Short mmCIF file of all heavy atoms in Angstrom, two decimals:
data_model
loop_
_atom_site.label_atom_id
_atom_site.label_comp_id
_atom_site.label_asym_id
_atom_site.label_seq_id
_atom_site.Cartn_x
_atom_site.Cartn_y
_atom_site.Cartn_z
N GLY A 37 -30.28 -6.65 18.52
CA GLY A 37 -29.33 -7.68 18.13
C GLY A 37 -29.98 -9.01 17.86
O GLY A 37 -31.04 -9.12 17.22
N GLY A 38 -29.33 -10.05 18.38
CA GLY A 38 -29.72 -11.39 18.03
C GLY A 38 -30.86 -12.01 18.83
O GLY A 38 -31.16 -13.18 18.68
N GLY A 39 -31.48 -11.24 19.72
CA GLY A 39 -32.64 -11.79 20.41
C GLY A 39 -32.58 -11.77 21.92
O GLY A 39 -33.56 -12.17 22.59
N SER A 40 -31.48 -11.30 22.52
CA SER A 40 -31.41 -11.31 24.00
C SER A 40 -32.54 -10.44 24.57
O SER A 40 -33.08 -10.76 25.63
CB SER A 40 -30.04 -10.81 24.51
OG SER A 40 -29.87 -9.44 24.28
N ARG A 43 -35.66 -12.57 24.84
CA ARG A 43 -35.59 -13.54 25.94
C ARG A 43 -35.78 -12.87 27.31
O ARG A 43 -36.36 -13.43 28.21
CB ARG A 43 -34.27 -14.31 25.90
CG ARG A 43 -34.16 -15.23 24.66
CD ARG A 43 -32.97 -16.15 24.77
NE ARG A 43 -31.69 -15.45 24.66
CZ ARG A 43 -31.13 -15.06 23.53
NH1 ARG A 43 -31.75 -15.32 22.36
NH2 ARG A 43 -29.97 -14.42 23.49
N PRO A 69 -22.82 -8.82 16.52
CA PRO A 69 -21.67 -8.26 17.26
C PRO A 69 -20.62 -7.92 16.22
O PRO A 69 -20.40 -8.70 15.28
CB PRO A 69 -21.22 -9.44 18.14
CG PRO A 69 -22.40 -10.36 18.22
CD PRO A 69 -23.13 -10.20 16.92
N ASN A 70 -19.96 -6.78 16.32
CA ASN A 70 -19.15 -6.22 15.22
C ASN A 70 -20.10 -5.95 14.05
O ASN A 70 -20.08 -6.64 13.04
CB ASN A 70 -18.02 -7.14 14.78
CG ASN A 70 -16.98 -7.37 15.86
OD1 ASN A 70 -16.76 -6.49 16.70
ND2 ASN A 70 -16.39 -8.53 15.88
N PRO A 71 -20.96 -4.95 14.19
CA PRO A 71 -22.04 -4.73 13.18
C PRO A 71 -21.53 -4.52 11.77
O PRO A 71 -20.52 -3.84 11.57
CB PRO A 71 -22.79 -3.50 13.72
CG PRO A 71 -21.85 -2.84 14.67
CD PRO A 71 -20.97 -3.93 15.23
N GLY A 96 -26.47 -3.47 23.04
CA GLY A 96 -25.10 -3.07 23.38
C GLY A 96 -24.51 -2.16 22.30
O GLY A 96 -25.22 -1.59 21.48
N GLY A 97 -23.18 -2.10 22.31
CA GLY A 97 -22.49 -1.25 21.37
C GLY A 97 -22.83 -1.58 19.93
O GLY A 97 -22.93 -0.68 19.09
N SER A 98 -23.04 -2.84 19.65
CA SER A 98 -23.30 -3.20 18.27
C SER A 98 -24.63 -2.65 17.77
O SER A 98 -24.71 -2.05 16.66
CB SER A 98 -23.26 -4.73 18.08
OG SER A 98 -21.94 -5.16 18.41
N ASP A 101 -24.24 1.27 17.70
CA ASP A 101 -23.38 1.78 16.63
C ASP A 101 -24.08 1.67 15.26
O ASP A 101 -24.04 2.57 14.45
CB ASP A 101 -22.06 1.02 16.58
CG ASP A 101 -21.12 1.41 17.71
OD1 ASP A 101 -21.57 2.18 18.61
OD2 ASP A 101 -19.96 0.94 17.74
N THR A 137 -28.16 -2.48 27.36
CA THR A 137 -28.33 -3.81 28.01
C THR A 137 -26.98 -4.44 28.40
O THR A 137 -27.00 -5.53 28.94
CB THR A 137 -29.09 -4.78 27.09
OG1 THR A 137 -28.28 -5.06 25.95
CG2 THR A 137 -30.45 -4.22 26.69
N ILE A 138 -25.88 -3.80 28.14
CA ILE A 138 -24.57 -4.37 28.50
C ILE A 138 -23.58 -3.23 28.75
O ILE A 138 -23.54 -2.27 27.97
CB ILE A 138 -24.05 -5.36 27.38
CG1 ILE A 138 -22.63 -5.84 27.69
CG2 ILE A 138 -24.11 -4.73 26.03
CD1 ILE A 138 -22.15 -6.91 26.70
N ALA A 140 -20.22 -1.75 28.48
CA ALA A 140 -19.02 -2.03 27.68
C ALA A 140 -18.50 -0.80 26.94
O ALA A 140 -17.59 -0.12 27.41
CB ALA A 140 -19.29 -3.17 26.70
N THR A 141 -19.17 -0.49 25.83
CA THR A 141 -18.54 0.42 24.86
C THR A 141 -18.69 1.90 25.21
O THR A 141 -17.92 2.69 24.71
CB THR A 141 -19.18 0.23 23.47
OG1 THR A 141 -20.57 0.59 23.55
CG2 THR A 141 -19.05 -1.19 23.01
N SER A 143 -21.07 3.59 24.02
CA SER A 143 -21.75 4.15 22.84
C SER A 143 -23.03 4.91 23.23
O SER A 143 -23.46 5.81 22.52
CB SER A 143 -22.08 3.03 21.84
OG SER A 143 -22.58 3.55 20.64
N ASP A 146 -21.74 8.64 23.67
CA ASP A 146 -20.67 9.22 22.88
C ASP A 146 -21.08 9.38 21.44
O ASP A 146 -22.22 9.08 21.06
CB ASP A 146 -19.35 8.41 23.04
CG ASP A 146 -19.35 7.07 22.29
OD1 ASP A 146 -20.16 6.87 21.36
OD2 ASP A 146 -18.52 6.22 22.61
N PHE A 148 -19.42 8.08 18.77
CA PHE A 148 -18.69 7.14 17.91
C PHE A 148 -19.55 5.98 17.48
O PHE A 148 -20.51 5.58 18.14
CB PHE A 148 -17.47 6.59 18.64
CG PHE A 148 -16.57 7.67 19.21
CD1 PHE A 148 -16.46 7.85 20.58
CD2 PHE A 148 -15.87 8.49 18.37
CE1 PHE A 148 -15.66 8.86 21.11
CE2 PHE A 148 -15.04 9.51 18.87
CZ PHE A 148 -14.95 9.68 20.26
N ALA A 149 -19.19 5.41 16.34
CA ALA A 149 -19.82 4.16 15.87
C ALA A 149 -18.74 3.39 15.10
O ALA A 149 -17.96 3.99 14.36
CB ALA A 149 -20.99 4.46 14.94
N VAL A 150 -18.70 2.08 15.34
CA VAL A 150 -17.67 1.25 14.68
C VAL A 150 -18.38 0.22 13.82
O VAL A 150 -19.19 -0.56 14.31
CB VAL A 150 -16.79 0.57 15.74
CG1 VAL A 150 -15.64 -0.17 15.05
CG2 VAL A 150 -16.23 1.57 16.75
N LYS A 159 -12.65 -2.68 9.71
CA LYS A 159 -13.48 -2.30 10.84
C LYS A 159 -13.08 -0.89 11.19
O LYS A 159 -11.96 -0.66 11.62
CB LYS A 159 -13.26 -3.25 12.02
CG LYS A 159 -14.09 -2.90 13.23
CD LYS A 159 -13.91 -3.90 14.37
CE LYS A 159 -14.78 -3.47 15.55
NZ LYS A 159 -14.68 -4.38 16.68
N TYR A 178 -31.14 -4.66 33.55
CA TYR A 178 -31.14 -5.23 32.21
C TYR A 178 -29.84 -5.98 31.88
O TYR A 178 -29.74 -6.65 30.87
CB TYR A 178 -31.43 -4.19 31.14
CG TYR A 178 -32.80 -3.59 31.25
CD1 TYR A 178 -33.05 -2.27 30.93
CD2 TYR A 178 -33.89 -4.37 31.68
CE1 TYR A 178 -34.33 -1.71 31.04
CE2 TYR A 178 -35.16 -3.82 31.82
CZ TYR A 178 -35.36 -2.51 31.49
OH TYR A 178 -36.61 -1.95 31.62
N THR A 181 -28.66 -10.46 32.81
CA THR A 181 -28.64 -11.65 31.94
C THR A 181 -27.40 -11.69 31.01
O THR A 181 -27.26 -12.62 30.22
CB THR A 181 -29.89 -11.66 31.03
OG1 THR A 181 -30.00 -10.39 30.38
CG2 THR A 181 -31.15 -11.94 31.85
N VAL A 182 -26.54 -10.70 31.10
CA VAL A 182 -25.35 -10.70 30.22
C VAL A 182 -24.49 -11.91 30.59
O VAL A 182 -24.13 -12.08 31.76
CB VAL A 182 -24.51 -9.40 30.38
CG1 VAL A 182 -23.24 -9.48 29.54
CG2 VAL A 182 -25.34 -8.18 29.94
N PRO A 183 -24.18 -12.78 29.62
CA PRO A 183 -23.38 -13.99 29.96
C PRO A 183 -21.97 -13.62 30.39
O PRO A 183 -21.48 -12.52 30.13
CB PRO A 183 -23.39 -14.79 28.66
CG PRO A 183 -23.77 -13.84 27.59
CD PRO A 183 -24.53 -12.72 28.22
N HIS A 186 -19.46 -12.04 27.98
CA HIS A 186 -19.61 -10.65 27.61
C HIS A 186 -19.51 -9.71 28.83
O HIS A 186 -19.21 -8.51 28.67
CB HIS A 186 -20.90 -10.44 26.81
CG HIS A 186 -20.79 -11.03 25.45
ND1 HIS A 186 -19.98 -10.49 24.48
CD2 HIS A 186 -21.34 -12.14 24.91
CE1 HIS A 186 -20.02 -11.24 23.39
NE2 HIS A 186 -20.85 -12.26 23.61
N ASP A 193 -13.24 -3.93 27.98
CA ASP A 193 -13.38 -2.80 27.05
C ASP A 193 -13.36 -1.46 27.82
O ASP A 193 -12.65 -0.54 27.46
CB ASP A 193 -14.65 -2.97 26.23
CG ASP A 193 -14.74 -1.98 25.08
OD1 ASP A 193 -13.68 -1.45 24.65
OD2 ASP A 193 -15.86 -1.77 24.56
N HIS A 197 -10.62 1.53 27.50
CA HIS A 197 -10.91 2.95 27.20
C HIS A 197 -10.23 3.84 28.24
O HIS A 197 -9.65 4.89 27.93
CB HIS A 197 -12.42 3.23 27.20
CG HIS A 197 -13.17 2.46 26.17
ND1 HIS A 197 -14.52 2.21 26.26
CD2 HIS A 197 -12.75 1.84 25.04
CE1 HIS A 197 -14.90 1.49 25.21
NE2 HIS A 197 -13.82 1.25 24.46
N ILE A 251 -15.64 6.90 28.26
CA ILE A 251 -15.40 7.29 26.86
C ILE A 251 -16.22 8.52 26.43
O ILE A 251 -16.23 8.90 25.27
CB ILE A 251 -15.71 6.09 25.91
CG1 ILE A 251 -15.07 6.25 24.54
CG2 ILE A 251 -17.16 5.80 25.82
CD1 ILE A 251 -15.18 5.06 23.63
N HIS A 266 -6.76 0.09 20.71
CA HIS A 266 -7.99 -0.02 19.90
C HIS A 266 -7.74 -0.22 18.42
O HIS A 266 -8.28 -1.15 17.80
CB HIS A 266 -8.94 1.15 20.18
CG HIS A 266 -9.88 0.87 21.33
ND1 HIS A 266 -9.41 0.80 22.62
CD2 HIS A 266 -11.20 0.58 21.35
CE1 HIS A 266 -10.46 0.51 23.42
NE2 HIS A 266 -11.53 0.36 22.67
N HIS A 270 -8.93 -3.49 16.49
CA HIS A 270 -9.90 -3.42 15.37
C HIS A 270 -9.41 -4.23 14.16
O HIS A 270 -10.22 -4.80 13.43
CB HIS A 270 -10.15 -1.95 15.01
CG HIS A 270 -11.09 -1.26 15.97
ND1 HIS A 270 -11.39 0.08 15.86
CD2 HIS A 270 -11.76 -1.72 17.05
CE1 HIS A 270 -12.23 0.40 16.86
NE2 HIS A 270 -12.44 -0.66 17.59
N HIS A 280 -14.53 -7.78 20.68
CA HIS A 280 -13.71 -6.59 20.90
C HIS A 280 -12.98 -6.57 22.24
O HIS A 280 -11.74 -6.40 22.30
CB HIS A 280 -14.64 -5.37 20.75
CG HIS A 280 -14.03 -4.05 21.03
ND1 HIS A 280 -12.99 -3.53 20.27
CD2 HIS A 280 -14.29 -3.11 21.97
CE1 HIS A 280 -12.65 -2.34 20.74
NE2 HIS A 280 -13.43 -2.07 21.78
O1 LIG B 1 -27.27 -9.63 20.02
P1 LIG B 1 -27.91 -9.97 21.31
O2 LIG B 1 -28.81 -11.15 21.25
O3 LIG B 1 -28.57 -8.78 21.99
O4 LIG B 1 -26.74 -10.50 22.31
C1 LIG B 1 -25.63 -9.70 22.65
C2 LIG B 1 -24.36 -10.08 21.92
O5 LIG B 1 -24.34 -11.46 21.65
C3 LIG B 1 -25.27 -10.00 24.10
N1 LIG B 1 -26.04 -9.19 25.05
C4 LIG B 1 -26.10 -7.84 25.15
N2 LIG B 1 -26.86 -7.48 26.19
C5 LIG B 1 -27.30 -8.64 26.75
C6 LIG B 1 -26.78 -9.72 26.03
N3 LIG B 1 -27.06 -11.00 26.32
C7 LIG B 1 -27.88 -11.24 27.37
N4 LIG B 1 -28.40 -10.23 28.14
C8 LIG B 1 -28.15 -8.96 27.86
N5 LIG B 1 -28.62 -7.97 28.64
O6 LIG B 1 -23.91 -9.62 24.19
C9 LIG B 1 -23.29 -9.85 22.95
C10 LIG B 1 -22.40 -8.66 22.63
O7 LIG B 1 -23.17 -7.51 22.34
P2 LIG B 1 -22.50 -6.27 21.61
O8 LIG B 1 -23.48 -5.22 21.46
O9 LIG B 1 -21.80 -6.75 20.39
O10 LIG B 1 -21.36 -5.90 22.69
P3 LIG B 1 -20.66 -4.56 23.01
O11 LIG B 1 -21.53 -3.65 23.76
O12 LIG B 1 -19.37 -4.95 23.59
O13 LIG B 1 -20.38 -3.89 21.57
C11 LIG B 1 -19.27 -4.24 20.76
C12 LIG B 1 -19.19 -3.38 19.54
O14 LIG B 1 -19.01 -1.98 19.85
C13 LIG B 1 -17.81 -1.48 19.25
C14 LIG B 1 -16.96 -2.69 19.18
O15 LIG B 1 -15.87 -2.56 18.28
C15 LIG B 1 -17.93 -3.77 18.73
O16 LIG B 1 -18.23 -3.65 17.36
N6 LIG B 1 -17.27 -0.35 20.01
C16 LIG B 1 -17.98 0.83 20.00
C17 LIG B 1 -17.52 1.97 20.59
C18 LIG B 1 -18.28 3.20 20.59
N7 LIG B 1 -19.40 3.30 19.90
O17 LIG B 1 -17.89 4.17 21.24
C19 LIG B 1 -16.19 2.00 21.25
C20 LIG B 1 -15.63 0.67 21.55
O18 LIG B 1 -14.24 0.79 21.72
C21 LIG B 1 -15.95 -0.36 20.51
O19 LIG B 1 -15.01 -0.32 19.44
#
Side-chain angles (χ1 to χ4, degrees):
S40 71
R43 292 189 292 279
N70 297 328
S98 297
D101 285 7
T137 66
I138 174 174
T141 64
S143 187
D146 74 20
F148 308 110
V150 186
K159 178 177 182 180
Y178 295 146
T181 52
V182 175
H186 290 291
D193 191 20
H197 298 159
I251 199 174
H266 272 70
H270 283 177
H280 176 63

